[in-house]
Amino acid sequence: LFLSLYFSLSAQWERTNGPKGGFIHNVYSDGNTIYAGTYGGVFRSEDDGLSWIPANQNLSLRIINITKSEGRLFAATEAGVFVSNDEGQNWELVENGLPQSKAIEVFSKDEIVLASFYQEGTFRSTDGGLSFEPLNFGNFDHVRLTRFATNGESIYAIDRPYNIFQSVDKGMSWSKVTEAPEYFTEELILVGNQLFAVSDDHFFRFNPTDSTWTNSSSGLPQFGGLLGGISLGTHLFIETYYGIYRSGDVGLSWEKIQ
């Protein structure tokens, strides 16, 4: 479970007891409850990962990611977006305005839920996922937003493979900010108003004055293998094939966590 549980900066890492659902694709923490999205459905833990129980009623699919809005859990899958009203005990397919096809990601911020699909584009809900409408991106065709990041005011997302969009009105309208620094950009991270991007090979810092990116990978593995990252306060953490790296100076330098 990569960086999905809260921990102090000096804490040690311990392996959790499961879940036994194969490859873990996403982890979502909701208070004292942890949800793990696997290739075989959702698993839930209420004791910091010491034990796990399946939360797969009507949902034995590959889980792309999990989020929560207005007390309802949402899971993006290859068959559409599913919702649970009882903490993951039962799931049903969301049909109010969403296609029943392969989803890329589902994201939430308060009562706003955004759901993206490979073929149909991106949809928005303003009522906690009770109903959805397709987003209009003007001159941009077939926009499929993913890798959402927010600082509480702005929402950023990538329209793969190139364009990065920003919304300042809870996802109602979007404007292109810049292009992604590299073709395979895996993650967007916000620390305050500072935007970062993680690609397969490099870590980048965005310069809003001239809309350029600065490579800030000094101290990270030379041969790439970057998989994603998060921020905790002012600290950045990057997951790689060679371990987890931490930066306490917003990406200017990195150290490997032992």
Side-chain angles (χ1 to χ4, degrees):
L1 303 180
F2 164 60
L3 299 178
S4 297
L5 315 181
Y6 176 80
F7 57 91
S8 68
L9 297 181
S10 60
Q12 300 296 312
W13 288 86
E14 296 181 6
R15 187 185 184 98
T16 65
N17 185 28
K20 311 297 184 182
F23 184 82
I24 298 172
H25 202 267
N26 177 258
V27 175
Y28 178 77
S29 178
D30 179 30
N32 294 323
T33 303
I34 306 166
Y35 298 91
T38 77
Y39 271 53
V42 177
F43 289 78
R44 183 176 68 235
S45 174
E46 298 179 353
D47 54 13
D48 292 331
L50 295 177
S51 62
W52 296 84
I53 59 173
N56 292 328
Q57 188 68 34
N58 303 322
L59 187 62
S60 58
L61 298 166
R62 175 194 173 195
I63 307 301
I64 298 169
N65 81 303
I66 302 168
T67 190
K68 191 174 188 179
S69 175
E70 302 293 287
R72 312 170 82 214
L73 283 172
F74 294 87
T77 79
E78 294 179 328
V81 173
F82 285 73
V83 62
S84 173
N85 295 297
D86 52 14
E87 307 299 329
Q89 295 186 45
N90 297 278
W91 296 85
E92 59 182 296
L93 186 64
V94 178
E95 298 179 320
N96 294 336
L98 289 186
Q100 283 75 63
S101 62
K102 188 173 184 179
I104 304 174
E105 186 173 350
V106 60
F107 166 85
S108 65
K109 177 68 175 71
D110 300 325
E111 77 282 4
I112 303 300
V113 182
L114 300 168
S116 291
F117 296 79
Y118 273 97
Q119 297 297 328
E120 295 85 358
T122 303
F123 296 73
R124 176 175 180 259
S125 171
T126 60
D127 53 16
L130 296 176
S131 61
F132 287 83
E133 293 184 356
L135 286 175
N136 185 348
F137 290 87
N139 295 329
F140 295 92
D141 295 328
H142 196 57
V143 173
R144 302 168 297 176
L145 296 179
T146 185
R147 306 308 189 203
F148 293 93
T150 183
N151 59 5
E153 298 176 358
S154 296
I155 305 174
Y156 290 84
I158 301 173
D159 174 30
R160 288 192 175 230
Y162 295 119
N163 296 322
I164 294 180
F165 284 85
Q166 178 191 22
S167 174
V168 295
D169 54 10
K170 296 186 175 182
M172 183 172 66
S173 61
W174 295 80
S175 59
K176 178 182 174 180
V177 176
T178 185
E179 293 185 352
E182 289 186 344
Y183 189 87
F184 291 106
T185 299
E186 299 294 339
E187 200 86 54
L188 295 179
I189 305 172
L190 278 169
V191 178
N193 292 320
Q194 178 63 61
L195 179 66
F196 301 92
V198 183
S199 74
D200 282 354
D201 298 316
H202 301 103
F203 180 84
F204 294 91
R205 174 198 301 267
F206 182 61
N207 308 305
T209 54
D210 56 4
S211 297
T212 60
W213 294 92
T214 299
N215 190 333
S216 193
S217 305
S218 177
L220 292 173
Q222 294 182 347
F223 303 104
L226 278 61
L227 301 173
I230 65 167
S231 63
L232 288 174
T234 59
H235 284 74
L236 290 163
F237 296 84
I238 297 297
E239 177 192 20
T240 78
Y241 284 120
Y242 313 101
I244 296 173
Y245 288 75
R246 176 178 62 196
S247 173
D249 52 14
V250 288
L252 297 178
S253 62
W254 295 90
E255 61 175 341
K256 186 175 182 180
I257 296 178
Q258 301 299 322

